[in-house]
Amino acid sequence: MNGHNIYGSLYGVNFDPKVFGLLIRDLHARPGAWELEYEPLKKRLDATES
């Protein structure tokens, strides 16, 4: 999505149409949100799963 892969702890978003749609709309409205919010969230969640 926008050059970013959705993997690790956020991978399940790919299979939930409603959540995936919300993510797409949010990233379309706020293009910098991936780097500011989603990537740090993914890293924190991945760290708790290890």
Side-chain angles (χ1 to χ4, degrees):
M1 178 172 314
N2 291 347
H4 302 285
N5 293 320
I6 300 176
Y7 60 92
S9 57
L10 295 181
Y11 185 69
V13 169
N14 293 307
F15 303 102
D16 186 324
K18 185 175 182 177
V19 176
F20 188 71
L22 291 170
L23 179 62
I24 290 172
R25 285 191 292 281
D26 187 39
L27 290 175
H28 179 73
R30 302 177 317 127
W34 183 266
E35 287 82 8
L36 295 174
E37 295 179 33
Y38 294 107
E39 184 67 23
L41 172 62
K42 188 189 83 55
K43 287 179 181 178
R44 285 194 312 272
L45 291 171
D46 287 347
T48 62
E49 291 180 358
S50 299

